[in-house]
Amino acid sequence: MRNASAAGPARPGRREHWSSRLAFVLAATGSAVGLGNIWKFPYITGTNGGGWFVLIYLVAVLAVALPIMVAEILLGRAAQRSPVGAFRAYSRPGSPWLGVGWLGVAAGFVILSYYSVVAGWTLHYAWLSLRGFGGLEAGQIRETFAELYADPALNLFWHAVFMALTIGIVAAGVHRGVERATRILMPVLLGMLLVLLVRAAGGEGFGRALDFVFGLRAGQLTPAGVLEALGHSFFTLSLGMGAMLTYGSYLRARDDLVATSVAVAGLDTAVSLMACLVIFPIIFSAGLAPGVGPGLVFVSLPIAFGQMPGGAFWAALFFLLLAVAALTSTISLLEVVVSHLMDEYRMRRRRAALGAGLATLLLGVPSAMSGGSALFGAGFQRLTEPLFGAGQGKNWFDLLDYLASNWMLPLGGLGIALFVAWRVGGEAREQAFKAGSRFARLYWAWVALLRYVVPAGVGAVFLHAIGVL
Ligand code: TRP
């Protein structure tokens, strides 16, 4: 069933489908694997002291994130619609549940606007790497990052480049765009990661990195670390805003939903762990600290690359890897909005992709300017002080990230889990779960996790994020 796809980008009303289960796994893994895996996971593993944090994270993926992923994909596949339409399909007219769908579409738009700015940094760094970080002092490399952050024109330029790539791929369609791009980019990504890993495994610092990531040492993990692991399990699998739901809506009825979810979660986790085993040996052998936070990849790593023989090559490879990972994620973020416009307003794909993409480009302008503009930087910090306390104000960029990661995604994830667990009719849910699945036996375990464990876990993350817990 090649569907309408062979005839080019779908017209309104004719839904495209992935051409195979592998195509879905690659696209969904592409969405999941992103800055969250290669930038954020290593640095939060670093700040939380490794070992126990990684273990808790693995438990969170299995007990909380994976059940939500199955729920999202199941809802999308059963409804054959993007988030709002999917909620509509299983609720009464005008039901407040539709709000969860709308929240998802809004979150996609908001996240993409600043995610693309950070993704732009990876392109800038790939470019800088080619010129080499060698010969630069640590202080100069710190300065490089500070200068980039404070330069609105440079940020805007790379943000626009990244959005153009994303728009181009999404406009071409599920088949000719998303599927074709991920079929090329995902093997490239895994290949680059493996090359970097092999280099790391043969070099010094690898043993120490292994011990840091997998060694369980007493007394390192804090309750805040547990909640951070839980929250991240969620973000890294692209859950809580209907991205997986939308990709699931392009899945054919006969494909094994649970097996594919397990594959996506497994691949995503493997990439995160491999990223740690690439980054930490480099950090350790340069005598740097693992717990520096967000600067781990954009400051510490370039310092280490600068000291390494062949460092320019390895640095360029690493930042290209990061850019590719980010691109397959921005595609999925834009696809949610585009799919929504096509489903709800019968818009054509090209027009939807261009319109939504340009709107996102605009919404990203203040983010691109947050480090270097009085208004969106310091101005917003002052403006938001009443909300966050004196000296705690957030600039535009940080504010959007805060709203999306701490409010929209946990609320959306909770909404999706509760909806599928309690509102979708039992029979329809059971049938959708079991159709063509090798894992039909696990149905009740999944429902139990979704009903009790997921709300408790996501609820705790949410309360912590808003400062109640
Ligand atoms: N999962 C991606 C990452 O780890 C980011 C991402 C893409 C995302 N699509 C999403 C996060 C949807 C939440 C929701 O970088």
Side-chain angles (χ1 to χ4, degrees):
M1 188 177 71
R2 279 239 148 192
N3 228 307
S5 44
R11 282 155 202 282
R14 259 199 285 164
R15 199 165 203 80
E16 286 189 275
H17 287 90
W18 309 110
S19 56
S20 66
R21 202 163 68 103
L22 180 66
F24 169 77
V25 170
L26 289 178
T29 304
S31 168
V33 171
L35 298 169
N37 302 65
I38 301 173
W39 173 46
K40 189 156 185 202
F41 183 73
Y43 92 65
I44 58 179
T45 295
T47 52
N48 285 290
W52 278 105
F53 176 82
V54 173
L55 186 65
I56 298 288
Y57 166 78
L58 294 177
V59 173
V61 167
L62 276 178
V64 178
L66 190 55
I68 302 183
M69 180 181 275
V70 171
E72 274 206 27
I73 300 175
L74 180 144
L75 187 58
R77 186 180 68 171
Q80 292 287 299
R81 279 290 170 275
S82 48
V84 174
F87 277 92
R88 187 185 296 116
Y90 289 93
S91 46
R92 265 177 257 115
S95 155
W97 285 108
L98 262 65
V100 182
W102 280 104
L103 187 70
V105 177
F109 185 51
V110 168
I111 295 175
L112 181 55
S113 77
Y114 66 83
Y115 194 94
S116 164
V117 173
V118 180
W121 297 350
T122 68
L123 286 178
H124 182 63
Y125 267 70
W127 163 247
L128 287 180
S129 304
L130 286 177
R131 298 191 324 200
F133 290 110
L136 291 183
E137 300 280 321
Q140 287 172 304
I141 289 177
R142 250 177 225 111
E143 200 51 32
T144 303
F145 184 68
E147 278 167 16
L148 166 65
Y149 187 60
D151 186 340
L154 200 55
N155 274 284
L156 267 177
F157 171 74
W158 290 114
H159 167 54
V161 170
F162 218 89
M163 281 311 302
L165 290 171
T166 307
I167 293 169
I169 292 168
V170 170
V174 172
H175 244 257
R176 291 181 174 183
V178 181
E179 184 173 324
R180 189 151 61 164
T182 48
R183 191 166 29 205
I184 298 167
L185 293 176
M186 291 314 287
V188 167
L189 184 151
L190 288 176
M192 290 196 284
L193 193 57
L194 281 177
V195 170
L196 283 159
L197 190 64
V198 168
R199 195 217 66 90
E204 49 174 328
F206 193 68
R208 248 188 95 189
L210 272 179
D211 182 55
F212 183 71
V213 176
F214 295 111
L216 300 180
R217 290 162 301 275
Q220 347 148 282
L221 194 65
T222 59
V226 173
L227 292 170
E228 191 165 11
L230 212 72
H232 186 68
S233 74
F234 207 74
F235 182 85
T236 189
L237 290 181
S238 300
L239 301 174
M241 51 148 281
M244 288 298 166
L245 188 156
T246 302
Y247 275 14
S249 76
Y250 306 133
L251 199 57
R252 300 167 304 186
R254 65 168 184 273
D255 288 318
D256 185 334
L257 174 106
V258 186
T260 44
S261 305
V262 170
V264 173
L267 281 167
D268 182 80
T269 306
V271 169
S272 289
L273 295 175
M274 286 195 276
C276 283
L277 295 180
V278 163
I279 291 169
F280 288 123
I282 300 173
I283 295 293
F284 287 140
S285 52
L288 298 169
V292 295
L296 183 69
V297 159
F298 289 110
V299 176
S300 302
L301 213 47
I303 294 175
F305 280 130
Q307 301 169 4
M308 191 195 271
F313 170 77
W314 296 112
L317 193 63
F318 178 83
F319 285 108
L320 268 182
L321 164 73
L322 202 52
V324 168
L327 181 59
T328 53
S329 296
T330 54
I331 291 171
S332 77
L333 287 161
L334 186 59
E335 180 62 31
V336 173
V337 184
V338 167
S339 188
H340 172 77
L341 294 174
M342 290 172 67
D343 284 349
E344 299 291 316
Y345 306 103
R346 310 191 73 70
M347 234 188 221
R348 278 169 189 266
R349 174 171 284 274
R350 285 215 185 89
R351 177 181 291 227
L354 197 63
L358 289 179
T360 315
L361 182 66
L362 270 184
L363 185 68
V365 169
S367 288
M369 296 176 64
S370 283
S373 124
L375 174 60
F376 297 113
F380 253 79
Q381 276 171 350
R382 258 195 313 282
L383 212 66
T384 52
E385 268 190 10
L387 284 173
F388 301 105
Q392 306 278 305
K394 296 184 190 302
N395 65 26
W396 174 279
F397 183 111
D398 295 334
L399 184 68
L400 288 196
D401 182 35
Y402 167 82
L403 286 177
S405 311
N406 292 2
W407 289 85
M408 298 169 109
L409 290 181
L411 272 180
L414 199 58
I416 289 168
L418 292 177
F419 186 73
V420 172
W422 299 99
R423 291 307 304 250
V424 172
E427 218 163 288
R429 181 177 54 229
E430 185 165 352
Q431 220 173 18
F433 184 92
K434 291 185 173 172
S437 179
R438 267 173 283 165
F439 293 92
R441 275 173 295 122
L442 294 180
Y443 177 66
W444 283 108
W446 171 66
V447 172
L449 285 172
L450 210 56
R451 287 200 166 160
Y452 308 107
V453 178
V454 167
V458 180
V461 171
F462 181 58
L463 291 179
H464 175 68
I466 63 175
V468 177
L469 199 76

